[in-house]
Amino acid sequence: MNYFNKKQWFFMQLQCFLIGSVADSFPLSSTNNPLSVTFKVGNQAVLPCSWKQRLGEVAPSTCYIQWNSPADTVFERQGNEKWQAEQFQGRVEVQSEKLDSGDCSLIISDVQIGDTGRYESFMVVDGERSSKTRVFIQSVKLSVSDYKSIQSRGLGEDLVLDLYTQHSVRVVFQGRNSSEWSDRWMRGDKDNERMEKDATKEQLKIKNLKSSDQGMYKVLDEHGLGVSTVILSVNEGSKAVKLTQIMENQVPTDGAVRSSCSAFVLLPVLVTIFQILYLL
């Protein structure tokens, strides 16, 4: 590919990447104005909640907390007994030692893209599961975002792809000269001379990079949802310039702060990218 087309391809991929980053930085609207929180996939998410704002300072005789999504019940705790929805098994908790003092926050471990949505908490004041008298406590809108990065490597170098979570099961690739996606890795694949999975970390190493490895890599979970996107440029000899991976920090919940932070983050990214284009 000639010099112009190489730059054109890289610039088009950069545009798509930056537009997606800006879109991710704005909060989702809600008619009921729930509290909004945003976390990265694979991290621990905390959905804040305090029953004191609804029930006052005096604790019920038995704290019986319930968290629901629009589709179903997610979690319930009454004393030492708790119940978790199947898709959240082993990943959700309300800390019993904090519940009596008012903290009914829902903790979601290894949060996934599919966990995005609205959650509502209730205190069951009669304590009977069959005839619940529920008091609404808090509505929280959870947004789970993926990771995005632009990286540059030299011929023969290695690329380490972070998988971030055990729910990442597939890596697909789109070459810079192609509109088709192809599988590069599936969880359970054996290591080979080009691909190696770290046994202790959620990382995948692509070894001895070639020009044909340039393009876009997507890490997907078991539902086909994107965990991360990496745009890779492979350069020759002295032109090889390493780009420090640009990872998005946890996004603040305040919309104005998000917007301004995005602008400050994107400005140095643009400067760095155009410096790389100049060197190509």
Side-chain angles (χ1 to χ4, degrees), residues 19-276:
I19 290 171
S21 298
V22 172
D24 285 345
S25 69
F26 289 95
L28 298 174
S29 61
S30 171
T31 55
N32 292 333
N33 296 319
L35 178 66
S36 295
V37 294
T38 302
F39 294 89
K40 288 293 187 184
V41 62
N43 289 338
Q44 182 184 86
V46 178
L47 280 56
C49 175
S50 173
W51 54 255
K52 288 186 176 181
Q53 64 184 351
R54 296 287 183 178
L55 300 178
E57 294 294 324
V58 181
S61 56
T62 302
C63 285
Y64 183 172
I65 190 69
Q66 182 185 83
W67 278 90
N68 295 338
S69 69
D72 204 355
T73 299
V74 172
F75 179 86
E76 292 186 16
R77 175 181 282 283
Q78 183 179 15
N80 293 325
E81 297 183 3
K82 61 182 180 180
W83 180 89
Q84 306 170 55
E86 182 178 354
Q87 65 270 33
F88 290 96
Q89 280 293 325
R91 296 198 297 124
V92 287
E93 183 64 272
V94 172
Q95 296 180 334
S96 58
E97 62 272 19
K98 294 183 178 182
L99 186 55
D100 288 340
S101 61
D103 188 350
C104 50
S105 301
L106 182 68
I107 301 172
I108 306 177
S109 301
D110 193 15
V111 68
Q112 300 298 302
I113 297 292
D115 296 336
T116 295
R118 183 192 299 243
Y119 296 78
E120 293 182 339
S121 60
F122 299 85
M123 185 67 77
V124 183
V125 296
D126 62 8
E128 294 293 333
R129 189 181 177 93
S130 60
S131 57
K132 297 173 182 176
T133 301
R134 303 189 307 168
V135 177
F136 172 78
I137 304 296
Q138 178 70 60
S139 179
V140 181
K141 192 160 194 176
L142 171 64
S143 179
V144 183
S145 59
D146 61 349
Y147 293 84
K148 296 179 175 67
S149 67
I150 302 172
Q151 300 194 33
S152 181
R153 295 291 185 272
L155 286 172
E157 292 185 341
D158 299 335
L159 172 68
V160 176
L161 285 176
D162 286 301
L163 303 177
Y164 297 105
T165 169
Q166 293 182 352
H167 291 269
S168 296
V169 299
R170 184 182 176 197
V171 174
V172 296
F173 171 73
Q174 183 186 70
R176 68 178 189 181
N177 297 322
S178 174
S179 60
E180 301 295 327
W181 292 93
S182 60
D183 286 326
R184 278 297 177 96
W185 176 83
M186 296 285 289
R187 188 171 290 274
D189 285 353
K190 294 182 179 180
D191 294 345
N192 56 54
E193 61 180 13
R194 292 293 318 281
M195 205 84 65
E196 182 180 292
K197 169 73 166 60
D198 192 303
T200 59
K201 300 178 182 178
E202 288 301 324
Q203 291 182 331
L204 182 68
K205 181 186 289 184
I206 303 175
K207 298 181 287 186
N208 191 23
L209 290 171
K210 305 175 182 179
S211 296
S212 57
D213 293 321
Q214 292 188 110
M216 185 180 296
Y217 294 81
K218 281 186 174 291
V219 179
L220 306 176
D221 66 13
E222 63 263 55
H223 304 295
L225 300 175
V227 173
S228 72
T229 300
V230 174
I231 297 176
L232 175 67
S233 176
V234 179
N235 305 288
E236 298 180 11
S238 61
K239 291 184 179 180
V241 179
K242 278 195 176 182
L243 239 178
T244 303
Q245 190 172 18
I246 304 160
M247 307 305 297
E248 299 167 347
N249 294 324
Q250 181 175 314
V251 182
T253 57
D254 183 80
V257 174
R258 290 188 199 183
S259 183
S260 61
C261 285
S262 297
F264 281 114
V265 169
L266 292 179
L267 181 58
V269 173
L270 287 170
V271 172
T272 304
I273 296 304
F274 283 111
Q275 287 176 338
I276 291 174

